[in-house]
Amino acid sequence: ALAPPTSLSPRPRVVSARAMRETQRARLGSGRAPEMVVWCQNTPRRAPSKRRAPLQNRGLHISIPSTGMLMQSDVSRLSSEMFREFNVNGRLKFPQMRKYYRRIGETLNFNDYVGMCEGLGCNSTDGLSSSMFNKLIRCKESNEVIIDYLTVFQSKGHVDRLMMLFDRFSGRGIMTQRQFENYYEMKFGRFAGKEAQRTFLEICASARANPSEGIDLDGFMNMERSTSKITIHSAFVRTFRPEDLTTRSRNGSPNTSPSHLR
């Protein structure tokens, strides 16, 4: 029997580190004592998206029901793999959790880490166990879990990245010339101009598609068949984790995201 979806009404979500800091700052400014912010809070459940689930029966072998939510078994599998990537001696202490958050393009300070541990019911000195980390991941939206996973693991889920990129830049299953130009600029991190226009016309000719209409998913996948996984992963991070580029630029690497997405 299939496991139930991870998110039931009311639906939990993760309180960001920024929101936690702003809450504590507001209480201190008003003279009130700081309060513990629980990271998993109950919020009204959103209506499931009517768009097709892009990862169903694809590279990650994830089963997405009609609700658009991941199954518990899939969340557990993805969180377990991420836990194994960062844990030391079976635990995620502050250094490991900070490394994890940096990898997915976010920041985590020690106070946020302590508040997280208190919200999850674990000792900050001992760190998060695999079950506690799974509990944290299950607080996230299904799409966020997938994006985190694909950001962490560059060598996994190549097909999934391509499908999510197509879904992000296309409309109603077709990528028009302008949408392709936006994708092309994101892919290479620079203004493309006539180069992108010329490439689009070549792809349409190869796929026997009408340039005035655009290319479908099959044409897009065929186009990217020869593109390296590193290039696709970089385009994925620029699209879904643009803040990660800002973080890395502070550490000495250039921020190459297009100006219209900064």
Side-chain angles (χ1 to χ4, degrees):
L2 293 176
T6 61
S7 302
L8 300 176
S9 182
R11 189 174 193 175
R13 64 179 175 85
V14 169
V15 177
S16 67
R18 178 181 297 178
M20 177 179 289
R21 288 194 296 270
E22 290 177 352
T23 300
Q24 302 291 42
R25 191 180 298 115
R27 292 184 65 85
L28 289 172
S30 63
R32 291 178 294 173
E35 65 178 3
M36 182 188 76
V37 179
V38 179
W39 280 56
C40 295
Q41 294 184 342
N42 289 331
T43 58
R45 178 177 174 179
R46 288 190 230 168
S49 172
K50 294 183 179 180
R51 297 185 65 187
R52 63 181 177 82
L55 302 186
Q56 191 168 7
N57 300 323
R58 296 290 175 166
L60 292 180
H61 303 291
I62 292 173
S63 174
I64 300 183
S66 59
T67 59
M69 299 179 224
L70 286 174
M71 307 298 284
Q72 286 187 3
S73 57
D74 288 324
V75 174
S76 296
R77 179 168 61 86
L78 299 184
S79 68
S80 294
E81 290 188 42
M82 289 190 286
F83 181 84
R84 288 195 295 270
E85 177 73 9
F86 296 99
N87 87 94
V88 173
N89 298 324
R91 288 282 174 173
L92 293 174
K93 298 183 180 181
F94 175 62
Q96 292 79 48
M97 287 300 297
R98 183 172 57 180
K99 183 178 180 181
Y100 162 72
Y101 272 89
R102 282 178 176 174
R103 183 78 68 86
I104 64 174
E106 300 179 13
T107 58
L108 181 75
N109 61 41
F110 186 72
N111 289 335
D112 296 334
Y113 166 74
V114 172
M116 178 199 304
C117 291
E118 291 177 347
L120 292 170
C122 62
N123 190 318
S124 60
T125 303
D126 297 332
L128 279 68
S129 64
S130 178
S131 61
M132 288 294 102
F133 184 72
N134 180 58
K135 181 180 179 181
L136 176 68
I137 297 302
R138 285 177 57 188
C139 287
K140 294 190 174 188
E141 302 280 350
S142 294
N143 209 44
E144 284 295 305
V145 175
I146 296 169
I147 292 172
D148 286 353
Y149 182 88
L150 293 176
T151 303
V152 168
F153 296 106
Q154 179 176 307
S155 62
K156 299 180 181 181
H158 181 62
V159 173
D160 305 288
R161 286 190 192 87
L162 288 173
M163 295 194 68
M164 292 183 73
L165 285 168
F166 181 83
D167 278 0
R168 172 57 65 90
F169 286 93
S170 65
R172 298 182 179 180
I174 294 293
M175 183 179 287
T176 64
Q177 179 173 336
R178 182 54 190 159
Q179 291 168 339
F180 175 81
E181 291 172 2
N182 290 336
Y183 168 72
Y184 201 87
E185 292 179 13
M186 176 60 69
K187 176 181 175 182
F188 293 105
R190 57 179 171 78
F191 177 72
K194 293 183 178 180
E195 178 185 343
Q197 298 174 14
R198 183 175 63 254
T199 303
F200 178 78
L201 294 176
E202 292 174 354
I203 295 169
C204 288
S206 176
R208 297 182 179 180
N210 187 339
S212 63
E213 295 179 357
I215 58 175
D216 59 11
L217 177 61
D218 290 336
F220 178 79
M221 299 292 279
N222 288 332
M223 172 192 75
E224 296 294 21
R225 184 170 295 174
S226 59
T227 305
S228 70
K229 292 183 178 181
I230 294 177
T231 300
I232 296 300
H233 182 266
S234 297
F236 181 86
V237 172
R238 288 190 186 99
T239 301
F240 294 98
R241 287 285 184 259
E243 63 271 25
D244 183 43
L245 295 173
T246 303
T247 301
R248 284 187 285 147
S249 67
R250 296 194 191 105
N251 296 329
S253 300
N255 187 333
T256 57
S257 60
S259 58
H260 67 282
L261 288 171
R262 287 178 192 165

